Amino acid sequence: MSAIKLAIVGVGKIVHDQHLPAIAANPDFALLASASRNNTIDGLPGFKTIEEMLAAAPEIEAVSLCMPPQYRYAAAHAALTAGKHVFLEKPPGATLSEVADLEALAASKGLTLFTSWHSRYAPAVQPAKAYLAAHAPTAMHVIWKEDVRHWHPNQDWIWQAGGLGVFDPGINALSIVTEILPSQVFLTSASLEFPENRDAPIAAELHFQDAGALRVLAEFDWRQTGKQSWDIIVDTADGQVKLSDGGARLWIAGEEQPLDKEAEYPSLYRRFAALVKAGRSDVDVAPLRHVADAFMLGRRKVVEAFHD
Ligand code: NAP
């Protein structure tokens, strides 16, 4: 099979940091063009809108949609309607229902829809999952605390409704939680802290349980300066499992485990190519569902205004 003719829509930070190097290193893809209101990719034809791009370059077979989540549905709908396979950056959309609509559209057209969750491809995730499948977890503590001014400077969309606020990084933790736990958990209570001048939370505390005795506490905070924390600590009867640095490092019963090198985006593009070749989709909204539940069940606390 020849390389999949790909285009990128919404050229910004993550495209430059991760998508471009991962695509360049993967012979299954040939990057043909981009569509973005203000930005282009060096050496490639750039269009202002996806509609303009698909009309001018009908040979495009697949698109990666990397704009903020509030604008993903319209682009995904246009791409699927035009017969293109679709890679959705995380989170896959602004609502669960719009992703369900895209899933049905992709299925009706025999196209691939891929809800990508890059953190699930962190090197600690599959070894942790295998350990927890054999050693039942009794408690889990998720600590995802980072400095929003460092990681998201000038990103207004992230503070607007649908931008998810602190759940933008927090959903990465939830994507790992939902991958490694052997049982399904659900939210039992939550509190969300909203800056008085913003429509999205700056901090959240979430409590989950499963049908049995497992309890999960997740703490997300965007006000962390100094050392950043992206840790998941799981108690089992046979020792503690600790994933740190977002899943780049793993300890089991106090012993650091040897892991593969981090390759989240190369892994995502290998998965996307395999799905396209197999004529399949991979649509998993479990992390987004937990976030939606938090907005539905969480107590709202107004905290001091946030200024960049
Ligand atoms: P970004 O740089 O702020 O936005 C990406 C691009 O989307 C922008 O450069 C902009 O390009 C376009 N865009 C912005 N607002 C838009 C709007 N209102 N309508 C249409 N297009 C708009 O964001 P990012 O950090 O790359 O994140 C994009 C997505 O990737 C998010 O869902 C995020 O969660 C995910 N992600 C980000 C990271 C990260 O480290 N930053 C990591 C993993 C995943 P134009 O102005 O040219 O249209």
Side-chain angles (χ1 to χ4, degrees), residues 9-15 17-19 35-40 48 65-69 71-72 89-91 118 151-152 154-158 160 168 171-172 265:
V9 188
V11 177
K13 184 174 187 307
I14 196 59
V15 167
D17 288 357
Q18 297 289 349
H19 287 258
S36 206
R37 298 164 314 166
N38 304 297
N39 300 306
T40 54
K48 294 282 180 207
L65 304 184
C66 305
M67 70 288 284
Y71 313 102
R72 206 143 21 237
E89 247 301 348
K90 53 74 36 175
H118 65 87
W151 298 105
H152 299 282
N154 309 315
Q155 288 190 325
D156 286 338
W157 61 265
I158 217 160
Q160 292 162 1
D168 178 78
I171 204 167
N172 296 332
Y265 278 77

Side-chain angles (χ1 to χ4, degrees), residues 218-237:
E219 296 176 273
F220 303 152
D221 203 319
W222 249 351
R223 296 165 298 198
Q224 177 102 335
T225 53
K227 188 179 178 316
Q228 309 285 284
S229 307
W230 299 287
D231 298 329
I232 298 176
I233 300 156
V234 197
D235 294 333
T236 78

Side-chain angles (χ1 to χ4, degrees), residues 123-124 127 248-252 255-261:
R249 300 179 72 185
L250 176 67
W251 284 261
I252 296 179
E255 291 244 332
E256 184 157 14
Q257 306 295 306
L259 293 177
D260 293 339
K261 253 182 74 197

